[in-house]
Amino acid sequence: MGFLLLCFLSLLKPSSQQFPRACTPADNLMRKECCPAWSGDGSPCGELSGRGSCQDVSVSDAPNGPQFPLSGVDDREGWPSVFYTRTCHCAENFMGFNCADCRFGRFGINCTARRTSIRKNILELSGAEKDKFLAYLNLAKSTISQDYQIAVGTYTQMSNGSNPMFRDISVYDLFVWMHYYVSRDTLLGASRVWKDIDFAHEAPAFLPWHRAFLLLWENEIRKTAGDENFTIPYWDWRDLESCEVCTDEYLGGRHSTIPNLLSPASFFSYWQVICTRSEDYNNGNFLCDGTPEGPILRNPGHHDRTKTPNLPTSADVEFSLSLTEYETAPFDKFANFSFRNTLEGFANPNTGISNTSQSSLHNALHIYMNGSMSQVSGSANDPIFLLHHVFVDSIFEQWLRRHRPLQDIYPAMNTPIGHNRDYYMVPFIPIYRNIEFFLSSQELGYDYDYLTEPVQLIFSIYKYLQGCEYNQELDDKPSEQN
Ligand SMILES: *[C@@H]1O[C@H](CO)[C@@H](O)[C@H](O)[C@H]1NC(C)=O
Ligand SMILES: *[C@@H]1O[C@H](CO)[C@@H](O)[C@H](O)[C@H]1NC(C)=O
Ligand SMILES: *[C@@H]1O[C@H](CO)[C@@H](O)[C@H](O)[C@H]1NC(C)=O
Ligand SMILES: *[C@@H]1O[C@H](CO)[C@@H](O)[C@H](O)[C@H]1NC(C)=O
Ligand SMILES: *[C@@H]1O[C@H](CO)[C@@H](O)[C@H](O)[C@H]1NC(C)=O
Ligand SMILES: *[C@@H]1O[C@H](CO)[C@@H](O)[C@H](O)[C@H]1NC(C)=O
C-alpha cells in the first residue's frame, strides 16, 4: 500500500509554476527551452506516451492599454518569452511543465477519472479536518519545493541567461513570491521604477488569475501532503464585525501585549514573512530573494476607518452580483459598473461607481487586517489570504452561474498589460491564458459547498449523464475534503 502510494506520487510529481528547477540551468535559458522529461518514459513532455509535446510559444500581439507606455524593459512583457520560447504543450487530460500532472479535476494514472472537489467553510470543518488544514500549511511552509525555484535576478542581471540566478524556496513561500513577482513594480535601474503596473490586480485578470493561483497552490499542497483530495477552505466574512478566524484555534489570535503580532500559542506566530520590502527592492534595483523579513503582522480592526468603514455586507456582495457587465472601459480601477472592479473593491458597493479613495469588498478585508495582508506584494504571507481569496473566488463563481457569460465578453485588447484575454499569466510555467480560467469551477473540477444547491446538482447529474455518452470512464462523484 505504502509502495503503491509512493509510486503514484512519483508519477504525479512535477506541475505548474515558475521556475521549474529543470529549466533553470544556463543551457535551458540560452536555448529558451523548457521541455523537461516526464519520468514515466524519459521523453520530453511525456511525448512517447502521448502526454504532450515541446512546442513554440505563440504570444498574443493584441494591443495593451495606455497604462504601461514602455516596452522591452520588464521580464514579464510577452510572458514567458523573455525566458522561454518553447514549452510543453500537454494533451487533453494532462498538465504541468512536463505534462506529468493531471488537468484540474482529473485523477488516476492516465488522468481519465473525473472528480469534483468541494471547498468548504472553515467554520464547518470537523476538528480533525481543521487541524489537518493547519498542519498542511505548516508542512508547506517548512518543505523545500523539489520542482521549483525563484528567480533572484532579472534577465539582464542574469546576463541574458548565461549567469542563472535562482534560489530554493519552500512550497508555501513559492506562492508568496509569485504573488509578489506578478504585482511588483518595473525596475528601470538606478532606483527608477514604473509603478502603474500589475499583472494580476486592478484589471480584468484579477479574478481568473487568482483562480488559477489558488488551484495551483492547492495542487502543490496536495502533492506535498500526499493527499490528492485536499481542498482549501474559505472564510465567509459577510456581515461580520470582527475577525472570527483570528483565534489560536484557527489562524492565530492576537498577542497579549503587542497588538500587531500573533499570539505565541499559534504556530503562525513563528512564521517569517518574505517579499514585504518593496521600497528596498526598488531603491536597490533587485528582486525579492526570499530572505526572512520578520513575523507576520496583523492588527484586525485597527485600520483607517475613513477608507473602510466596515467589513463587507451581504448587500454589498448581492449588489456586485447584480452587475451584468464583467468589465468596462478603461478596464482598470477607474471602471464604473464593472463586476470585477466592484468585487475587487475599487468601486462603491452600492452604486458601482469607481471610488479609489475607499476600499470595499475584496480590498476591505486586506485593509481591515492592518498588517502583512494590507500591502499587495506581501499579502500572501498571512494564511488568511487563502481563506479570503477562496471566498472571493466563490463570489466570482456565483456571478458566472448567474450571468452565464460567453467567453468573448472578456476583453481581448486594450486592457492594462497582462490582462488581455489571451495573455499568458505571469509567472506560471507551463503557460495558461487568462481566458482559460474564465469559466465555471465545475469545468475545473471543483465546487463550493454552499453553491451546490439542488438545481445545481440536477445540472451536474445531467452533465454526468451527457458525459457518459462520450466517455464511459467519467466518474463525476463529488469528493469530500478530508
Ligand atoms: C494507461 O495508459 C497506458 C498507455 O495507453 C495503458 O497501457 C495502461 O493500461 C493505462 N492504465 C490504466 C490504469 O488505465
Ligand atoms: C543581452 O541582450 C541584449 C539585447 O539583445 C544585448 O543588448 C545585451 O548586450 C546582452 N547582454 C549580455 C550580457 O549578453
Ligand atoms: C494600520 O492602520 C493605521 C491607521 O489606523 C495606518 O496608519 C497604518 O498604515 C496601517 N498599517 C498597515 C500595515 O496597513
Ligand atoms: C464614472 O462615473 C463617475 C460619476 O458619474 C464619472 O465622474 C466618471 O468620469 C466615470 N468614469 C469613467 C471611467 O467613465
Ligand atoms: C469617494 O469616497 C470618499 C470617502 O468616503 C467620499 O468622501 C467621496 O465623496 C467619494 N467620491 C465619490 C465620487 O463618490
Ligand atoms: C480521494 O477520494 C477518492 C474518492 O472519494 C477516494 O477513492 C481516494 O481513495 C481518496 N484518496 C486519498 C489519498 O484519500
Side-chain angles (χ1 to χ4, degrees):
M1 184 61 202
F3 172 73
L4 273 178
L5 184 64
L6 249 170
C7 177
F8 178 65
L9 286 174
S10 69
L11 284 170
L12 277 179
K13 220 167 58 190
S15 91
S16 32
Q17 293 84 37
Q18 93 155 22
F19 282 85
R21 189 183 290 274
C23 301
T24 57
D27 176 52
N28 291 78
L29 293 165
M30 303 298 280
R31 283 187 294 122
K32 292 196 170 223
E33 186 174 294
C34 183
C35 292
W38 173 53
S39 61
D41 65 11
S43 69
C45 315
E47 183 160 18
L48 291 176
S49 306
R51 293 179 87 99
S53 59
C54 189
Q55 293 188 10
D56 289 346
V57 176
S58 124
V59 171
S60 161
D61 56 9
N64 299 315
Q67 293 85 355
F68 180 67
L70 310 171
S71 80
V73 295
D74 191 311
D75 293 345
R76 300 165 299 177
E77 290 174 54
W79 186 261
S81 59
V82 167
F83 292 97
Y84 306 109
T85 54
R86 283 172 68 74
T87 64
C88 287
H89 185 89
C90 305
E92 169 85 30
N93 292 334
F94 305 104
M95 190 177 82
F97 60 75
N98 59 357
C99 305
D101 279 12
C102 294
R103 232 178 81 178
F104 298 119
R106 311 286 164 108
F107 296 83
I109 298 288
N110 290 339
C111 303
T112 45
R114 282 196 197 212
R115 239 175 14 239
T116 303
S117 303
I118 307 295
R119 291 182 178 163
K120 297 185 193 169
N121 185 327
I122 189 166
L123 299 180
E124 290 168 10
L125 298 182
S126 69
E129 286 175 326
K130 187 260 302 168
D131 289 342
K132 196 161 79 175
F133 168 57
L134 301 181
Y136 285 0
L137 290 180
N138 250 344
L139 182 68
K141 186 76 177 181
S142 57
T143 305
I144 297 295
S145 173
Q146 294 303 300
D147 296 332
Y148 308 102
Q149 294 187 299
I150 57 168
V152 297
T154 62
Y155 192 68
T156 306
Q157 288 167 345
M158 295 189 204
S159 306
N160 298 352
S162 59
N163 174 34
M165 296 167 69
F166 295 92
R167 197 175 272 187
D168 282 350
I169 189 97
S170 78
V171 171
Y172 187 96
D173 287 345
L174 173 67
F175 288 85
V176 179
W177 184 89
M178 287 198 288
H179 194 262
Y180 144 79
Y181 189 84
V182 77
S183 60
R184 68 177 176 83
D185 299 333
T186 299
L187 302 175
L188 298 171
S191 305
R192 290 184 308 123
V193 293
W194 182 268
K195 284 181 175 283
D196 188 9
I197 189 165
D198 189 323
F199 293 76
H201 302 89
E202 305 187 12
F206 169 66
L207 293 167
W209 189 90
H210 284 84
R211 168 165 282 198
F213 185 62
L214 291 170
L215 278 165
L216 293 168
W217 201 341
E218 196 168 68
N219 203 38
E220 286 308 301
I221 294 176
R222 286 178 179 185
K223 288 189 285 181
T224 306
D227 181 350
E228 58 173 350
N229 297 326
F230 167 73
T231 56
I232 307 172
Y234 61 85
W235 172 36
D236 179 352
W237 33 244
R238 286 173 297 181
D239 307 312
L240 294 181
E241 287 179 359
S242 63
C243 177
E244 60 184 343
V245 295
C246 298
T247 63
D248 289 336
E249 193 192 347
Y250 289 97
L251 281 281
R254 194 190 292 280
H255 191 282
S256 58
T257 53
I258 311 170
N260 67 345
L261 289 184
L262 299 182
S263 146
S266 164
F267 52 63
F268 294 116
S269 69
Y270 302 98
W271 281 27
Q272 287 276 314
V273 301
I274 61 167
C275 303
T276 60
R277 300 185 179 160
S278 302
E279 291 311 310
D280 292 355
Y281 318 143
N282 286 349
N283 291 332
N285 192 43
F286 54 83
L287 296 181
C288 162
D289 67 0
T291 303
E293 296 173 342
I296 294 173
L297 302 178
R298 193 198 293 155
N299 196 350
H302 287 251
H303 62 294
D304 179 353
R305 282 178 192 267
T306 60
K307 271 186 100 177
T308 300
N310 55 275
L311 285 174
T313 64
S314 308
D316 295 345
V317 171
E318 270 310 307
F319 176 81
S320 74
L321 289 171
S322 75
L323 292 167
T324 56
E325 292 191 78
Y326 175 73
E327 187 61 280
T328 62
F331 315 118
D332 57 17
K333 65 184 173 189
F334 302 108
N336 289 334
F337 312 118
S338 148
F339 165 68
R340 188 278 313 159
N341 203 34
T342 306
L343 176 56
E344 188 168 3
F346 293 106
N348 184 318
N350 305 309
T351 64
I353 303 279
S354 161
N355 187 341
T356 57
S357 57
Q358 279 196 314
S359 298
S360 44
L361 283 163
H362 153 268
N363 287 341
L365 259 289
H366 283 279
I367 297 297
Y368 172 86
M369 292 301 163
N370 198 234
S372 304
M373 272 280 275
S374 312
Q375 305 297 332
V376 176
S377 68
S379 54
N381 279 297
D382 187 333
I384 284 185
F385 178 99
L386 283 162
L387 304 180
H388 172 43
H389 271 276
V390 170
F391 191 62
V392 170
D393 184 73
S394 79
I395 299 170
F396 175 34
E397 184 58 26
Q398 288 186 67
W399 188 87
L400 289 170
R401 291 184 192 181
R402 189 178 298 187
H403 299 282
R404 298 187 172 266
L406 296 174
Q407 288 210 315
D408 62 12
I409 65 121
Y410 185 101
M413 59 182 81
N414 300 327
T415 70
I417 187 169
H419 292 262
N420 285 343
R421 187 191 300 163
D422 290 328
Y423 204 93
Y424 287 116
M425 294 180 175
V426 177
F428 306 135
I429 293 172
I431 49 184
Y432 300 98
R433 300 180 192 274
N434 290 316
I435 194 65
E436 293 174 50
F437 294 85
F438 190 74
L439 79 188
S440 172
S441 72
Q442 289 161 332
E443 313 262 350
L444 296 163
Y446 73 99
D447 207 337
Y448 288 94
D449 58 357
Y450 81 110
L451 301 182
T452 50
E453 288 152 9
V455 174
Q456 206 54 57
L457 268 178
I458 288 164
F459 180 66
S460 32
I461 290 166
Y462 171 73
K463 282 188 69 173
Y464 169 67
L465 292 174
Q466 260 194 329
C468 286
E469 285 174 34
Y470 301 109
N471 186 347
Q472 294 299 326
E473 285 173 331
L474 293 189
D475 175 13
D476 214 352
K477 287 183 301 244
S479 76
E480 291 294 297
Q481 177 196 317
N482 53 17

